[in-house]
Amino acid sequence: MDKLSGKVGINMFADIYRNKKVLVTGHTGFKGSWLTTWLLELGAEVCGVSKDIPTSPSMFEELELESKIEHNFVDVRDFEKLKEIVQHYQPDFLFHLAAQPIVSASYQDPLETISTNVMGTANVLETLRGLDKPCYAVVITSDKCYENVEWLWGYKETDSLGGKDIYSGSKGAAEIIFHAYQQSFFADQDGSVLMATGRAGNVIGGGDWAQDRIVADCMRAWSKGNRVEIRCPDATRPWQHVLEPLSGYLLLGQMLSQQSSLHGEQFNFGPRAEQNHTVKNLLHDLSRYWDFDHSDQAYVVTDNVPFHEAGLLKLNCDKALFKLKWESNLSYPECIEFVSEWYYKFYDEEPDMYSVTTSQIAQYHQYAVNKSLIWCN
């Protein structure tokens, strides 16, 4: 992959974020760090709100993002402090990513998950009630907000919400709270605050070190020459690089600012159907970059399955294509290349991971241009 430098093309997202104040909750996490970096490359001023640095290593720390933005350690469950930040910063755009994102952790501490994902979302929406200026808010939930009955076709935005585990239930509840707030306090499409939700899942990419995430678990083990334990090798997922849903979130923010008719809508963001692969397939393809003679040396299947895991979960993204002209960009091999290259450079002691990350963002944009995707113009 060629290394590119400099800002992303000025026509991306209609240059809507340049010199705009953008507030990102959960900015110290995996997806939040990628989104913060992309916004900086688009010329935005970023204010971040997170309760802590969630992992070690940390992409946020490796990219030295604290020195590049207005950084705040505040828990979204602390309404008064959150309100103070929103009132002081007066954001033009808000992306709400702060969450307890790990399914296994929701079994260990269900109240932490519920309070963060449900009340945290309610607090963000409540702060927006006091904002007397135009602001476009994108609230991120998850593909797991759907009541998953493991059918073969993808879930549409109108399908039932729910979940068999606390994490999934909390994301479904966050969507219900969003709808109630939007209908109760932000129903006017001509109001100053417009909002929508984005749903995505099975996100992989460089810089993820969260516990009980398959790629993060692999990289921790393989960097030490160890095999990784996997629970459900035949579980099928539509794997997508983190830049795919982020492109959808950024496009949704842009389109909200241009089309008030999108206010209150929900959108799925997922990869093409051919990117459905088993966990075993994913590990086989990733392990080729780590000099294993055979993929069996890379992992071992464990009988320890402490919680329910879905065998199949995918999204129908026709609404995003029809209303936003959004479609996924990377092929499965390109996704594997992006993920593998980022971690390879990190563990090979690449001195500037910020440049590595912005290079991948620029390359992602170039791929979209080469494929003539409408949304990238």
Side-chain angles (χ1 to χ4, degrees):
M1 184 185 297
D2 293 331
K3 196 167 191 176
L4 304 177
S5 61
K7 300 297 182 185
V8 173
I10 61 171
N11 292 324
M12 201 170 195
F13 309 116
D15 211 25
I16 199 73
Y17 295 105
R18 187 169 302 281
N19 299 321
K20 295 296 195 306
K21 292 184 174 182
V22 183
L23 194 151
V24 179
T25 71
H27 69 297
T28 60
F30 163 53
K31 288 172 71 176
S33 295
W34 273 97
L35 178 60
T36 296
T37 303
W38 200 341
L39 285 165
L40 289 172
E41 289 295 289
L42 293 171
E45 300 175 25
V46 179
C47 173
V49 175
S50 290
K51 70 171 185 174
D52 56 21
I53 304 294
T55 64
S56 180
S58 157
M59 185 176 181
F60 179 78
E61 292 180 328
E62 292 296 332
L63 271 58
E64 300 180 348
L65 291 175
E66 182 173 355
S67 64
K68 300 175 174 66
I69 66 170
E70 184 175 320
H71 167 66
N72 299 274
F73 276 135
V74 169
D75 193 321
V76 290
R77 292 173 295 182
D78 188 333
F79 174 72
E80 292 301 329
K81 288 184 179 178
L82 182 64
K83 180 181 179 181
E84 182 180 338
I85 290 171
V86 171
Q87 287 293 324
H88 169 74
Y89 193 65
Q90 295 284 296
D92 302 303
F93 292 87
L94 184 149
F95 292 90
H96 174 47
L97 282 74
Q100 193 298 99
I102 307 299
V103 173
S104 60
S106 75
Y107 283 90
Q108 297 164 7
D109 193 342
L111 294 182
E112 171 84 7
T113 300
I114 294 168
S115 62
T116 300
N117 296 354
V118 182
M119 281 306 302
T121 299
N123 283 345
V124 169
L125 296 171
E126 182 67 15
T127 64
L128 291 174
R129 288 184 64 194
L131 197 61
D132 189 22
K133 68 175 295 294
C135 181
Y136 307 99
V138 178
V139 174
I140 311 307
T141 61
S142 170
D143 62 342
K144 292 182 176 61
C145 69
Y146 294 106
E147 183 68 47
N148 185 15
V149 295
E150 301 199 24
W151 54 35
L152 297 178
W153 49 90
Y155 292 93
K156 297 180 293 185
E157 289 83 353
T158 52
D159 285 328
S160 298
L161 302 174
K164 294 182 175 68
D165 57 82
I166 295 296
Y167 171 78
S168 301
S170 74
K171 288 300 187 178
E175 285 280 356
I176 293 170
I177 290 297
F178 169 88
H179 180 71
Y181 253 86
Q182 188 268 326
Q183 290 291 301
S184 297
F185 306 116
F186 302 99
D188 187 359
Q189 290 187 354
D190 296 323
S192 59
V193 176
L194 302 181
M195 58 184 65
T197 69
R199 303 167 178 174
N202 305 297
V203 175
I204 59 177
D208 185 5
W209 283 286
Q211 287 296 130
D212 292 329
R213 283 212 187 114
I214 185 62
V215 172
D217 289 346
C218 286
M219 297 308 154
R220 272 189 294 269
W222 294 350
S223 66
K224 299 174 183 176
N226 299 329
R227 291 196 297 179
V228 67
E229 287 190 355
I230 60 173
R231 296 182 295 270
C232 301
D234 297 319
T236 300
R237 298 287 185 271
W239 308 104
Q240 61 176 331
H241 191 271
V242 62
L243 291 175
E244 301 279 41
L246 292 186
S247 70
Y249 305 158
L250 287 166
L251 179 64
L252 180 54
Q254 172 205 333
M255 298 297 284
L256 264 176
S257 72
Q258 298 170 336
Q259 296 181 21
S260 61
S261 60
L262 297 177
H263 178 47
E265 296 283 335
Q266 303 82 35
F267 289 90
N268 292 335
F269 298 103
R272 303 182 184 96
E274 64 268 20
Q275 297 200 191
N276 282 352
H277 291 271
T278 65
V279 171
K280 186 187 298 183
N281 292 150
L282 177 71
L283 267 60
H284 174 269
D285 295 331
L286 287 172
S287 67
R288 290 182 299 171
Y289 290 80
W290 289 83
D291 298 325
F292 289 104
D293 294 329
H294 193 275
S295 59
D296 287 348
Q297 299 174 341
Y299 64 86
V300 60
V301 179
T302 177
D303 293 330
N304 180 25
V305 183
F307 52 86
H308 169 80
E309 289 196 76
L312 176 65
L313 176 60
K314 61 181 179 178
L315 300 178
N316 180 313
C317 301
D318 289 348
K319 182 178 178 181
L321 177 61
F322 179 74
K323 289 198 171 185
L324 306 178
K325 307 304 180 187
W326 180 90
E327 56 185 315
S328 62
N329 180 8
L330 300 180
S331 67
Y332 176 70
E334 289 167 345
C335 174
I336 294 297
E337 179 188 4
F338 270 57
V339 175
S340 301
E341 182 193 65
W342 199 100
Y343 283 109
Y344 180 83
K345 290 189 174 180
F346 173 78
Y347 285 109
D348 198 40
E349 298 184 355
E350 171 72 29
D352 185 358
M353 293 309 297
Y354 187 86
S355 292
V356 172
T357 303
T358 56
S359 293
Q360 288 200 337
I361 292 171
Q363 188 68 61
Y364 179 84
H365 177 230
Q366 189 59 54
Y367 280 7
V369 170
N370 294 345
K371 296 171 185 177
S372 300
L373 301 185
I374 296 173
W375 64 260
C376 75
N377 297 316

